[in-house]
């Protein structure tokens, strides 16, 4: 096992430096974390998988760039849930630390890639709404499926590159620098850079949504003055306003779930964390799963197209279930009629 310079407040640890980051000291804390991760992770995987199925099983929906970005968000949340739950529970609940530095940084890179891609997908969705509501006449020319796929490709490659920098050498073992108090082997400077990257993403999302809301209010005022003109333009405006409100709800949930984690990361860069704050950080990390779990619920409740697709899926499933229940009775009736004949 590689040895690095461990946090000063964890200097009482000896031997395996990974043990210094296992902050859950009681069985009740471990059980609580395990239950939260199991519940949030399972629901997140199920809900986001359903969103992906609804998007890509409906030709009319999957052709729209807006839903390609939402699909990317759902995929990122699924990957984040799987990798985060497996690695987090394995480390903090079962206290498994018998793997190498490379394996740990590989897992951490997967978690960072997924969560970064989730935020970046939300940014692309915000920019899509920004263009749609600020330049509606040019939207179809500016936001094509080809450009949407290209943007998603750049997004995932960039997020993966940034997330795996510690594995590629930017870690406190290779640089012989001070390690973060929150993550093993992670250099404090890298953590500062990742936090700045995340804050910039959130800032761009907030700016885009502020403009979207401003234009949405203008559209609402326009529609109130021109109620007689109930044509396609007004219908398009209503759709933009509805989707803008939906994504603002997503942003509000995102901010509430990520603020505690980012605040503690920033605090750890400038000050020393107590054992109690490190335990708080472990529990606050599960809020990221809660955010990923809530997003699909907002889509299902607010998006008429996804809701209609969901109803079609349920209707099809109900018909198949009804047919399977009736088929044995029909077969037995057919056999009895043959015997009588």
């Amino acid at each position: 096992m590689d040895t690095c310079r461990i946090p000063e407040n964890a200097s009482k640890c000896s031997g395996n430096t990974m043990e210094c980051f296992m902050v859950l000291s009681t069985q009740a804390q471990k059980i609580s974390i395990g239950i939260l991760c199991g519940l949030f992770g399972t629901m997140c995987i199920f809900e986001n998988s359903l969103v992906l199925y609804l998007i890509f099983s409906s030709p009319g929906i999957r052709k729209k760039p807006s839903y390609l970005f939402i699909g990317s968000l759902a995929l990122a949340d699924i990957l984040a849930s799987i990798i985060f739950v497996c690695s987090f529970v394995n480390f903090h609940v079962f206290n498994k630390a018998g793997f190498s530095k490379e394996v740990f940084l590989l897992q951490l890179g997967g978690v960072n890639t997924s969560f970064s891609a989730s935020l970046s997908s939300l940014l692309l969705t915000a920019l899509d709404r920004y263009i749609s509501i600020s330049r509606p006449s040019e939207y179809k020319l500016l936001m094509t499926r080809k450009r949407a796929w290209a943007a998603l490709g750049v997004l995932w490659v960039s997020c993966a590159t940034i997330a795996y920098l510690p594995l590629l050498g930017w870690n406190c073992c290779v640089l012989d620098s001070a390690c973060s108090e929150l993550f093993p082997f992670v250099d404090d400077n890298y953590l500062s850079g990742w936090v700045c990257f995340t804050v910039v993403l959130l800032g761009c999302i907030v700016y885009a949504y502020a403009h979207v809301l401003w234009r949405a209010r203008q559209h609402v005022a326009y529609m109130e003055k021109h109620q007689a003109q109930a044509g396609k333009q007004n219908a398009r405006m209503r759709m933009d306003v509805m989707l803008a409100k939906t994504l603002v709800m997503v942003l509000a949930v995102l901010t509430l779930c990520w603020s505690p984690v980012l605040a503690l990361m920033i605090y750890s860069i400038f000050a020393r964390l107590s054992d109690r704050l490190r335990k708080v950080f472990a529990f606050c990390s599960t809020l990221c799963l809660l955010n990923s779990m809530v997003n699909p619920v907002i889509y299902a409740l607010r998006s008429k197209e996804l809701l209609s697709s969901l109803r079609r899926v349920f209707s099809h499933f109900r018909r198949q279930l009804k047919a399977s229940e009736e088929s044995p009775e029909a077969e037995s009736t057919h056999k009895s009629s043959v015997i009588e004949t």
Side-chain angles (χ1 to χ4, degrees):
M1 175 68 65
D2 298 274
T3 57
C4 318
R5 192 180 305 171
I6 63 177
E8 293 183 26
N9 67 329
S11 58
K12 58 185 179 182
C13 301
S14 60
N16 191 347
T17 58
M18 297 284 282
E19 296 177 358
C20 303
F21 296 87
M22 297 176 182
V23 295
L24 303 182
S25 55
T26 66
Q27 196 67 20
Q29 293 173 353
K30 295 179 180 179
I31 292 175
S32 300
I33 284 288
I35 292 175
L36 289 175
C37 288
L39 177 62
F40 293 162
T42 302
M43 292 298 297
C44 177
I45 293 171
F46 171 75
E47 293 173 357
N48 283 286
S49 298
L50 180 60
V51 170
L52 280 179
Y53 175 77
L54 294 177
I55 290 175
F56 290 99
S57 64
S58 303
I61 294 179
R62 68 168 178 259
K63 291 180 180 179
K64 298 181 178 180
S66 302
Y67 289 102
L68 290 179
F69 299 146
I70 291 176
S72 174
L73 177 61
L75 177 61
D77 286 338
I78 291 173
L79 294 177
S81 300
I82 295 173
I83 303 173
F84 177 84
V85 170
C86 292
S87 59
F88 195 78
V89 171
N90 192 47
F91 185 82
H92 284 291
V93 177
F94 298 109
N95 298 137
K96 297 288 183 65
F99 40 81
S100 65
K101 173 193 71 177
E102 288 75 17
V103 172
F104 178 84
L105 292 179
L106 182 67
Q107 294 177 348
L108 183 63
V111 174
N112 287 346
T113 297
S114 303
F115 280 127
S116 298
S118 179
L119 289 175
S120 301
S121 298
L122 189 57
L123 175 60
L124 286 183
T125 309
L127 294 176
D128 175 75
R129 290 299 91 202
Y130 178 92
I131 296 173
S132 175
I133 211 165
S134 61
R135 305 173 71 177
S137 60
E138 305 174 28
Y139 173 76
K140 290 186 177 181
L141 295 175
L142 295 174
M143 189 58 66
T144 61
R145 292 183 73 247
K146 185 177 180 180
R147 290 181 178 178
W149 281 111
L152 289 175
V154 172
L155 178 157
W156 281 90
V157 171
S158 300
C159 290
T161 301
I162 295 173
Y164 282 105
L165 286 176
L167 182 62
L168 297 176
W170 192 354
N171 60 73
C172 54
C173 295
V174 173
L175 301 177
D176 192 25
S177 55
C179 294
S180 166
E181 295 185 353
L182 296 174
F183 305 100
F185 312 120
V186 174
D187 181 75
D188 262 337
N189 292 327
Y190 170 79
L191 182 61
S192 302
W194 191 85
V195 169
C196 290
F197 171 69
T198 304
V199 171
V200 168
L201 282 179
L202 290 174
C204 292
I205 294 172
V206 170
Y207 174 80
Y209 279 123
H211 186 83
V212 166
L213 282 179
W214 175 64
R215 293 303 297 264
R217 292 190 56 151
Q218 286 186 328
H219 283 183
V220 170
Y222 174 84
M223 286 186 291
E224 289 177 351
K225 293 180 180 179
H226 302 81
Q227 286 295 329
Q229 301 177 2
K232 292 184 178 180
Q233 185 178 5
N234 280 352
R236 175 60 183 271
M237 287 181 180
R238 291 190 185 94
M239 183 186 70
D240 288 340
V241 171
M242 188 71 174
L243 192 51
K245 291 180 179 179
T246 298
L247 297 177
V248 168
M249 292 175 62
V250 175
L251 178 61
V253 173
L254 178 79
T255 304
L256 290 175
C257 292
W258 274 85
S259 293
V261 172
L262 290 176
L264 287 173
M265 284 184 182
I266 294 172
Y267 183 77
S268 71
I269 296 171
F270 298 101
R272 193 174 301 166
L273 292 177
S274 64
D275 290 340
R276 184 178 179 181
L277 282 179
R278 295 168 74 203
K279 290 179 183 179
V280 171
F281 178 80
F283 278 92
C284 287
S285 298
T286 61
L287 291 176
C288 301
L289 284 178
L290 177 62
N291 168 67
S292 299
M293 185 186 73
V294 171
N295 284 344
V297 177
I298 298 176
Y299 302 147
L301 293 178
R302 302 285 297 180
S303 173
K304 291 183 179 180
E305 292 175 301
L306 283 181
L307 191 57
S308 299
S309 181
L310 181 61
R311 287 171 180 168
R312 286 195 299 269
V313 170
F314 281 149
S315 298
H316 179 69
F317 177 76
R318 203 179 304 120
R319 286 195 301 268
Q320 284 189 332
L321 186 62
K322 187 177 180 181
S324 63
E325 291 177 351
E326 292 178 351
S327 58
E329 298 177 1
E331 185 178 355
S332 61
T333 304
H334 175 71
K335 288 182 177 180
S336 62
S337 62
V338 171
I339 293 174
E340 289 177 0
T341 306

